[in-house]
Every structure is written in C-alpha cells, then in structure tokens.
C-alpha cells in the first residue's frame, strides 16, 4: 500500500520532493527575474520571453550538473553509510537508490538542455532579424549600437551576413553548446538497460564523455553573449525615462536628451556550481586508484558448469557484510574497465568470493584467461565492498527467500551466513526456519548453486537440523527431453536435474499455496519475505503478503522486503 511505501521510503520521497521543489523554485524565480528586471528591458525588446526561458533553464542545468556526480561517488556513499550506522536501517537502505537518483537527474538535464537550446535558437533568430531590420524600431536601433562604441553593443551579431550556423560553430557558447549537447545525447542513449547488459564497454567508455561535458559547461558562458544594461548606465539613463528617445531622437537635441545605454555581460557562473562536486569526484577517483593498488590474492579458482567462474580471494583489511557487492578490474583485459559483482561468500569465511557467468566480451575474456592459466594467476584489482548489508533476514523467526535467475547470487552469501550463525549459536540470530525458492529458466544455471545447497543439506543432516532449511527449485523453462528423463527416474531419492534431495518443480510457483503452507506451519510467527528478482514478481509477492497476514497481531504476519542488488 501507499502508506507502507511512504514508511519505508520516506527519505527517498523527501529527497525527491526537495529536488523537485528546488528545480521549480529556481526555474520560476529566474524566469520572473529575467522577464521583469529593468536591466534586461532592452534585451527583452529584441528577444522577448525566449530570454527568460533560456536563463531559467540555464540555472536549473547548473543545479542538476552539480548533483549528477554525487550519487556515483561510491566511497562517499560508503562513508555516509558508515557514519549513519546508528540511524535506522531504512535510512541507510535509501542510499542504495543512488543510481535511480543519478538517472533522474540525467533525464532532467536532457529535458532542460532541450529547453535551453530551443530558447537560444529563437534568440539567435531574433538577434539576426533585428540586425537586418531597417524600420527604425527599438530592436533595429539597439542592434546598431555597436557602431557607436565598443561597450555599447547589445546584439552579438554585428554583420548582416552572419547565419545561425555561423554563430553555433564559431563562437565559444555556440561550439561548446553543440559539443556538450552531443556528449549528453551519447551518454543518455548508451546507458539504456540493453546496452549496459550486452555491451558494457560501449556504456563504460561513452560515459567518460562526462569530462568533456563538464569542461564545456565551465567554458560555455565565458564569452557573455547575452547582455544586460550596466548599473551605472541604469542610474544615468533609466529605460523608463530614456527608451523613448532611442527611437524618437530629435536632430537638434540639447540638454533634455539621454545618452545611449551601455551594456555588460552576465558573468559566467557554472564553475561556481560544479567546482565542489568535481573536486569531490576527482578525490573519489584518486581514492579508487589507491584502493585498487592494494594486493588481492586469488586463493582458489573453480570452474563451474555452464561457464560460471568462481573466484575466491583475500585482501588485507577487507570486511564484508551479506548482500554487498564489489567492483572488479583485470588489467590484462582492460586498465579502465570496472565491473560490479555481488559477493557470494559469508562474512564468517576467511575469504571473499564472486561468481562470474559469461555475459559479454569482458566476462568471456576473464573466464578464458583463468581457464588458460596453468601457473601464474592474472592480476585482479578490487574496489569495495559497497551497498547496505541485508542483515534484516536475521531479524525474523521465519524467512522466505525468493531468488529469480542470477538474482540468487546474494542469497548464497545469506544462506551461508545463516548457517554459520546457526552453528555458532549466535544470539543475534532469531531465525528458526528458512524457506528458499529459486526460479530459474535453464538447468545449466543451477549447477554452481547446487554445490552450495548440497553442502548445506549435508551439514544440516549431519548435525540433526535437516529441517532448518526447506528449499524449492522451480524450473520455468524446460523441454521434452528433461521431462522424459524426469518421468523415467521419478522414484529416485535425489533429483534428476540437480542431484539434490528436494525435487525440482517444473513451472512457476503457486504463491497462494506456498504462503498458505507457511502460515499453517507457523501460525504465530512473523515471517520476512525477501526477493531478489524482477518487479512483476515483487507485485505478486506483495499481494500474497497482504492476503495471508492475519489482522490479529498475535497470529501470522508476512512482511515484504525487496532487495536492490
């Protein structure tokens, strides 16, 4: 429900409201300022309201350019997460929405760039039109002031032959405007989900056009082509008193005449907005380079079926929590590319591990390198860990964990950690029972996770706690050959597909049945439902949580938690 969402996401909602509010305030304030301020009376005579549209969108562009780098300062976010470790976990969890906010700001930049560019195209057209006018109107007179002195010009177009294209490609504002707009278009289009998943390198390299974007942004306003009347000129020849004389000047003018108005540029100020975040980001990148230099020892390499590579590593001073992720770089493949991977080890283990499946050029090459290495291991660099720990799982007596496809990765860490806590009789662990559901399309993907489940199954059976973990594997995509094999070997003690004691179920889970069974088995428990998977699945699980929760607080209740890994 909306109420639940607000309770869990009040911080996100507050940040969003503040961001929208500041954007609306900046746009409205500066729009009205440039639309009404008397210093721009003459500028408006030529440009009309397009001046206000261009200047108001410019202010918002500066504000959003200031924000865009902050959500991608990973180490800054880790620091904030650490300093507010005493805060409620929901607050820390909101810091994991950093990329959502980053995308939101990027879309705002794209929209504001369109407004700013269109407004300036109108401005150029009007400057051009006024320059060529010979009707003695106020815009025509103002456009010829440059002939009377260097500081008097208002219209930047000083020749009748100047075209819009000429201004766009030969002036500093025109050229930088074109370059940063192209950089922004490339960055936005190359960061779609499809390109990120399938051509990560394209996304990675085009995103570094942000350097050109910020350099262009700082230079963009330096020439000061849009001008307003100077303070001294305002005092001497205020437009209320003197505008009339510009178009109706008497030839034999004596003491009553006004001098021509004088104009000055609006100072460039983008650098003031972006200086602090750019310095912060430079510090962030230096910190990443320094952290990457720290030695990582690859202690074990396991090649699982279906081209899944497991790397077990050690690094001095590395401390992880369940559900966190790291960035990995392999200089042998690329010095610049860093790829994120969820940690699959438990904090209790003396190493940290990741599972890498072949999904793109970089991962394919990494797997090939490790497969071919017989003696010397290739060098690996690690930055992290990042992300909020998923320790909420440990707060429920009964936990239902749902992983879809590769979304099972974080649960490897969680399941192992729960088992270690369980063995060590950890007082913070309230969990008495775990139900684990894994939805997967093909059997190949089961392989590496099977080994983990099998070893957990064995350990639990040995310690007489075989009923601590109940898991169900759902094969959502299957063909007739699997079906025939299953039919032939239906009475075996272990599963045909996975070799585990629990049978694989073909098709999708009937959530009503699953929730009813859990509710019947634990009539007085609080059950935590955790998902790492797609949004559609989240909706149906949330619905089931509401349907099967009792109104009586002493009876069973289900709480839904979607993890963002």
């Amino acid at each position: 429900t909306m109420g639940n969402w607000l309770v869990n996401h009040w911080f996100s909602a507050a940040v969003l409201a503040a961001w929208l509010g500041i954007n609306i305030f900046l746009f409205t304030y500066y729009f009205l300022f440039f639309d009404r301020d008397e210093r721009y009376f003459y500028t408006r005579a030529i440009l009309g309201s397009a001046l206000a549209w261009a200047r108001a969108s410019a202010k918002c562009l500066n504000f959003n350019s200031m924000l865009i780098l902050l959500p991608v300062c990973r180490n800054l976010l880790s620091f904030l997460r650490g300093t507010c470790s005493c805060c409620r976990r929901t607050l820390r969890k909101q810091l994991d929405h950093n990329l959502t906010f980053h995308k939101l700001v990027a879309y705002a930049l794209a929209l504001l760039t369109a407004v700013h560019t269109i407004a300036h195209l109108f401005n150029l057209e009007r400057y051009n039109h006024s320059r060529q006018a010979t009707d003695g109107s106020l815009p025509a007179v103002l456009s010829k002031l440059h002939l009377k002195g260097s500081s008097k010009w208002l219209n930047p177009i000083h020749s009748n032959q100047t075209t819009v294209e000429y201004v766009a490609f030969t002036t500093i504002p025109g050229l930088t405007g074109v370059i940063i707009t192209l950089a922004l278009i490339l960055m936005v289009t190359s960061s779609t989900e499809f390109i990120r998943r399938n051509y990560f390198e394209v996304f990675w390299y085009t995103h570094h056009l942000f350097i050109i974007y910020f350099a262009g942004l700082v230079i963009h306003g330096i020439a000061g082509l849009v001008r307003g009347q100077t303070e001294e000129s305002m005092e001497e020849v205020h437009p209320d008193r003197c505008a009339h004389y510009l178009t109706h000047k008497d030839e034999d003018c004596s003491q009553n005449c006004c001098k021509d108005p004088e104009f000055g540029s609006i100072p460039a100020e983008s650098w003031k907005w972006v200086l602090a975040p750019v310095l912060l980001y430079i510090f962030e990148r230096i910190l990443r380079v320094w952290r990457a230099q720290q030695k990582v020892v690859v202690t074990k390499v396991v090649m699982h079926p279906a081209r899944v590579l497991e790397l077990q590593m050690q690094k001095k001073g590395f401390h992880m929590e369940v559900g966190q992720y790291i960035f990995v770089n392999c200089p042998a493949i690329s010095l610049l590319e860093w790829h994120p991977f969820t940690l699959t080890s438990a904090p209790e283990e003396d190493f940290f591990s990741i599972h890498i499946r072949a999904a793109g050029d970089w991962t394919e090459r990494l797997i090939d390198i490790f497969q071919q290495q017989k003696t010397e291991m290739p060098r690996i660099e690690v930055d992290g860990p990042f992300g909020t720990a998923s320790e909420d799982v440990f707060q429920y007596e009964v936990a239902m964990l749902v992983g879809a496809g590769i979304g099972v990765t974080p649960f490897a860490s969680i399941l192992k950690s729960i088992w270690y806590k369980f063995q060590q009789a950890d007082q913070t662990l309230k969990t008495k029972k775990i139900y684990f559901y894994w939805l997967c399309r093909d059997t190949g993907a089961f392989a590496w996770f099977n080994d983990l489940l099998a070893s957990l199954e064995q350990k639990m059976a040995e310690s007489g706690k075989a009923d601590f973990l109940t898991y169900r594997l759902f094969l959502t995509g299957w063909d007739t050959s699997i079906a025939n094999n299953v039919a032939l070997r239906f009475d075996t003690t272990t599963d045909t597909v996975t070799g585990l004691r629990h049978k694989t179920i073909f098709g999708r889970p009937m959530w009503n049945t699953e929730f009813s069974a859990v509710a019947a088995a634990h009539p007085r428990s609080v059950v935590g439902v955790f998902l790492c998977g797609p949004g559609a699945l989240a909706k149906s699980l949330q619905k089931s949580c509401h349907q099967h929760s009792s109104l009586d607080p002493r009876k069973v209740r289900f709480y839904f938690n979607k993890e963002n890994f």
Side-chain angles (χ1 to χ4, degrees):
T1 61
M2 190 65 184
N4 271 355
W5 188 90
L6 281 171
V7 168
N8 290 327
H9 299 83
W10 64 269
F11 182 72
S12 293
V15 168
L16 193 61
W19 173 75
L20 263 176
I22 294 169
N23 270 302
I24 291 166
F25 167 76
L26 282 173
F27 194 92
T28 311
Y29 179 84
Y30 284 102
F31 188 93
L32 294 173
F33 175 80
F34 282 98
D35 207 42
R36 294 180 180 177
D37 193 273
E38 288 166 327
R39 275 170 292 184
Y40 301 98
F41 175 85
Y42 292 120
T43 320
R44 282 194 301 275
I46 299 178
L47 301 178
S49 66
L51 167 74
W53 282 99
R55 297 308 303 168
S57 55
K59 293 288 177 190
C60 291
L61 276 167
N62 284 336
F63 171 63
N64 286 288
S65 297
M66 174 181 83
L67 296 179
I68 193 88
L69 287 176
L70 298 177
V72 287
C73 289
R74 298 195 292 260
N75 290 296
L76 170 73
L77 292 178
S78 281
F79 172 73
L80 289 176
R81 206 178 270 113
T83 53
C84 70
S85 57
C86 51
C87 325
R88 280 188 56 203
R89 189 171 172 276
T90 44
L91 184 65
R92 300 206 306 282
K93 195 81 187 139
Q94 300 317 307
L95 290 171
D96 289 345
H97 297 311
N98 59 326
L99 291 182
T100 310
F101 185 63
H102 176 73
K103 288 176 199 168
L104 193 66
V105 174
Y107 291 138
L109 283 175
L111 176 70
L112 291 162
T113 300
V115 173
H116 187 71
T117 308
I118 292 163
H120 272 319
L121 287 173
F122 274 104
N123 287 339
L124 277 177
E125 203 45 61
R126 286 181 177 161
Y127 275 140
N128 218 5
H129 185 262
S130 305
R131 176 70 190 88
Q132 290 171 11
T134 50
D135 55 2
S137 63
L138 185 55
V141 172
L142 291 167
S143 296
K144 292 177 180 60
L145 285 177
H146 65 280
L147 302 169
K148 299 185 181 180
S150 60
S151 67
K152 290 188 178 176
W153 69 269
L154 177 61
N155 188 332
I157 297 175
H158 295 169
S159 131
N160 280 355
Q161 280 70 51
T162 308
T163 62
V164 170
E165 292 77 23
Y166 179 83
V167 174
F169 292 102
T170 59
T171 63
I172 290 174
L175 195 57
T176 55
V178 168
I179 290 169
I180 62 182
T181 303
L182 282 174
L184 191 65
I185 289 168
L186 284 170
M187 283 190 284
V188 171
T189 51
S190 68
S191 57
T192 57
E193 181 89 7
F194 177 78
I195 290 177
R196 276 204 332 274
R197 292 259 179 255
N198 300 290
Y199 306 98
F200 189 86
E201 294 80 3
V202 174
F203 158 73
W204 179 259
Y205 289 115
T206 49
H207 241 61
H208 280 77
L209 289 170
F210 81 90
I211 299 165
I212 289 169
Y213 174 85
F214 279 99
L217 187 74
V218 168
I219 302 166
H220 184 62
I222 281 176
L225 294 194
V226 177
R227 291 158 75 90
Q229 198 173 351
T230 61
E231 291 292 343
E232 300 79 37
S233 175
M234 286 288 287
E235 282 172 26
E236 215 174 336
V237 285
H238 197 282
D240 281 355
R241 192 163 45 85
C242 296
H244 176 74
Y245 287 100
L246 279 170
T247 47
H248 301 86
K249 215 171 239 186
D250 300 324
E251 294 307 316
D252 54 345
C253 178
S254 54
Q255 78 280 3
N256 214 8
C257 267
C258 289
K259 286 199 304 187
D260 287 329
E262 300 204 355
F263 301 96
S265 295
I266 301 169
E269 53 169 37
S270 292
W271 67 271
K272 293 178 190 171
W273 289 84
V274 301
L275 181 67
V278 165
L279 289 174
L280 201 64
Y281 189 77
I282 290 168
F283 176 70
E284 162 84 19
R285 291 300 284 247
I286 292 166
L287 194 60
R288 283 187 206 175
V289 170
W290 175 74
R291 284 174 66 157
Q293 298 312 308
Q294 295 167 328
K295 196 173 182 220
V296 174
V297 181
V298 179
T299 54
K300 192 175 179 184
V301 179
V302 184
M303 198 65 220
H304 294 282
R307 276 178 76 73
V308 174
L309 174 75
E310 179 185 353
L311 294 181
Q312 294 184 7
M313 296 167 278
Q314 287 177 329
K315 181 179 175 179
K316 197 179 171 189
F318 187 95
H319 301 291
M320 65 158 288
E321 298 292 338
V322 291
Q324 289 190 307
Y325 62 94
I326 56 171
F327 276 83
V328 176
N329 169 273
C330 179
I333 301 172
S334 164
L335 288 167
L336 300 172
E337 276 182 58
W338 289 82
H339 292 252
F341 294 97
T342 304
L343 290 161
T344 52
S345 49
E348 292 82 0
E349 291 172 310
D350 62 351
F351 61 87
F352 60 95
S353 67
I354 53 172
H355 284 71
I356 302 162
R357 66 181 177 134
D361 297 350
W362 190 89
T363 49
E364 289 276 5
R365 287 179 66 190
L366 186 76
I367 291 168
D368 288 340
I369 284 174
F370 274 98
Q371 276 184 316
Q372 288 154 15
Q373 288 299 328
K374 296 285 178 272
T375 51
E376 199 184 337
M377 291 279 187
R379 192 163 131 244
I380 291 287
E381 294 176 355
V382 167
D383 190 19
F386 301 108
T388 303
S390 310
E391 73 261 336
D392 269 13
V393 180
F394 310 138
Q395 305 303 314
Y396 294 95
E397 304 163 35
V398 181
M400 290 173 76
L401 312 180
V402 184
I406 199 71
V408 79
T409 317
F411 290 126
S413 175
I414 291 166
L415 286 172
K416 280 193 207 172
S417 188
I418 287 177
W419 175 244
Y420 283 117
K421 288 182 191 296
F422 193 68
Q423 275 188 315
Q424 294 156 10
D426 190 324
Q427 296 306 307
T428 58
L429 180 72
K430 295 179 184 170
T431 318
K432 305 281 184 287
K433 176 75 182 176
I434 289 174
Y435 293 90
F436 178 64
Y437 307 85
W438 185 15
L439 288 65
C440 205
R441 229 176 247 148
D442 63 278
T443 50
F446 279 137
W448 71 267
F449 202 72
N450 282 354
D451 302 344
L452 168 70
L453 284 177
S455 72
L456 280 177
E457 197 172 52
Q458 195 184 342
K459 285 175 188 167
M460 286 175 193
E462 283 166 6
S463 58
K465 297 280 193 290
D467 56 348
F468 175 68
L469 172 69
T470 298
Y471 55 84
R472 304 172 78 98
L473 310 183
F474 294 87
L475 197 60
T476 54
W478 58 300
D479 56 31
T480 48
S481 62
I482 298 174
N484 293 335
N485 192 10
V486 170
L488 286 171
R489 300 177 51 190
F490 189 73
D491 54 351
T492 52
T493 51
T494 57
D495 187 72
T496 318
V497 177
T498 62
L500 292 161
R501 288 197 186 97
H502 290 251
K503 299 281 185 192
T504 299
I505 300 153
F506 295 91
R508 297 188 178 280
M510 306 285 285
W511 289 116
N512 271 339
T513 315
E514 302 296 339
F515 274 80
S516 298
V518 173
H522 309 278
R524 296 188 178 279
S525 292
V526 175
V527 183
V529 180
F530 293 84
L531 166 71
C532 184
L537 187 53
K539 280 183 184 159
S540 60
L541 285 176
Q542 210 159 6
K543 196 175 161 191
S544 297
C545 283
H546 291 308
Q547 282 175 350
H548 293 274
S549 290
S550 169
L551 292 171
D552 184 340
R554 291 164 299 179
K555 292 187 179 168
V556 70
R557 276 170 302 154
F558 291 88
Y559 286 101
F560 179 71
N561 302 266
K562 185 177 189 312
E563 295 291 349
N564 291 303
F565 299 103

